[in-house]
Amino acid sequence: MHYSERHARLKLILGEEGLEKLYGSRVVVLGLGGVGSAAAEALARGGVGHLVVLDRDVVDESNINRQALAFTSTIGKVKADVMAGMIREISPECEVTAVKAYLDKDDIDGVLGTFPRPDYVLDCIDTISQKLAIAHWCAERHIPLLSSMGAANKLDPARLRFANIKRTLNCPMSRVIRLQSIKRGIRGLEVLFSDEVAFKVDNPAARTKGETLGSMSYMPPIMGQMLAGKAIRRLAGLEPFPTPPRLARAH
């Protein structure tokens, strides 16, 4: 690979060998909201050479407070396409595949199985049934996975932690994922979660979750940066990979 000036600061830390490892790596980012769009951007800036970015939605005005791809000029545009355009602007050498698709929890392989085997999957989707299906798919194939948990109504980024799902607390999404992982025999799921007690939104007239689940401008992007940072360090050889998620043996 020919290293340009855009890689100079990376090379100081990673060296040529680390950069080569990153350039040869393939990462799938599932969900391009506040967490996923920040993660994809950081991976592109960090030298990852192959990215698959997937989301079913278009940019909405309400996304602008927290999503890296959301601007007045991108409202109404397909998130995956906007993200791919950003990645190409950041890193023209990066091979990026943009996918506008819904991940059916009963047919995850129908989408993810169409791509070459990834070196890492970052799950930034906020639907529990899909998160569990993604974890099961990765566990079956022994593919490294990092899964983001809930950031709604959380305020303090210093309370973010990487942990096995068994060691999470004060996170409603983690609680459900933890219980369902046990039932489904999914072991070794690594997540990023906040141990902060969530801020309570007082809205007696609320009829939907969207009217009680707020999001700070900085929390989801910081989570995305942390996910990308963990993946980059491991892919570059600066940190060891943990054992990928696995399925418990049937008795």
Side-chain angles (χ1 to χ4, degrees):
M1 176 183 174
H2 172 69
Y3 298 109
S4 66
E5 185 62 23
R6 75 186 67 206
H7 302 106
R9 298 301 178 93
L10 295 171
K11 192 174 180 180
L12 289 173
I13 297 174
L14 301 172
E16 192 165 320
E17 182 180 355
L19 281 175
E20 287 288 352
K21 288 178 179 178
L22 285 172
Y23 188 69
S25 297
R26 185 180 305 275
V27 181
V28 174
V29 180
L30 302 176
L32 296 170
V35 177
S37 60
E41 179 184 4
L43 291 167
R45 294 189 188 279
V48 173
H50 307 269
L51 286 170
V52 176
V53 293
L54 179 147
D55 197 288
R56 65 178 293 189
D57 290 330
V58 299
V59 179
D60 183 81
E61 187 176 5
S62 65
N63 302 152
I64 291 176
N65 84 308
R66 66 196 182 282
Q67 299 186 10
L69 47 66
F71 303 90
T72 300
S73 62
T74 61
I75 292 173
K77 295 182 179 180
V78 173
K79 286 186 178 182
D81 291 342
V82 174
M83 193 76 250
M86 288 180 61
I87 291 169
R88 294 186 183 106
E89 285 287 316
I90 292 166
S91 179
E93 301 90 353
C94 182
E95 175 190 271
V96 57
T97 301
V99 184
K100 183 181 186 296
Y102 173 75
L103 278 183
D104 185 339
K105 64 181 178 61
D106 297 317
D107 187 26
I108 293 290
D109 193 55
V111 176
L112 301 187
T114 63
F115 309 120
R117 180 184 175 90
D119 298 295
Y120 231 130
V121 173
L122 301 187
D123 163 29
C124 307
I125 291 173
D126 57 9
T127 304
I128 288 174
S129 60
Q130 291 171 307
K131 297 183 87 67
L132 288 163
I134 292 164
H136 191 278
W137 186 86
C138 288
E140 281 186 319
R141 293 157 180 79
H142 307 290
I143 294 173
L145 168 68
L146 279 172
S147 184
S148 66
M149 296 291 104
N153 296 352
K154 303 278 184 155
L155 310 180
D156 186 358
R159 304 294 292 272
L160 291 167
R161 304 279 185 272
F162 286 102
N164 186 295
I165 189 66
K166 294 188 300 183
R167 297 184 175 89
T168 55
L169 70 157
N170 293 337
C171 176
M173 178 181 284
S174 294
R175 185 183 309 116
V176 177
I177 296 287
R178 182 170 62 244
L179 293 173
Q180 288 298 318
S181 292
I182 293 171
K183 289 181 180 179
R184 302 177 189 212
I186 301 169
R187 301 290 185 265
L189 176 61
E190 186 179 21
V191 303
L192 176 62
F193 80 104
S194 169
D195 64 11
E196 178 186 10
V197 175
F199 177 83
K200 291 185 178 181
V201 175
D202 184 15
N203 186 2
R207 296 183 179 180
T208 66
K209 288 184 178 180
E211 294 175 293
T212 59
L213 298 180
S215 183
M216 298 299 285
S217 62
Y218 52 84
M219 280 294 289
I222 290 172
M223 292 181 74
Q225 293 275 344
M226 289 180 67
L227 291 172
K230 183 66 77 174
I232 286 171
R233 295 195 300 276
R234 288 172 174 170
L235 291 167
L238 298 180
E239 289 185 13
F241 276 90
T243 302
R246 61 198 181 278
L247 297 178
R249 294 180 180 178
H251 295 288

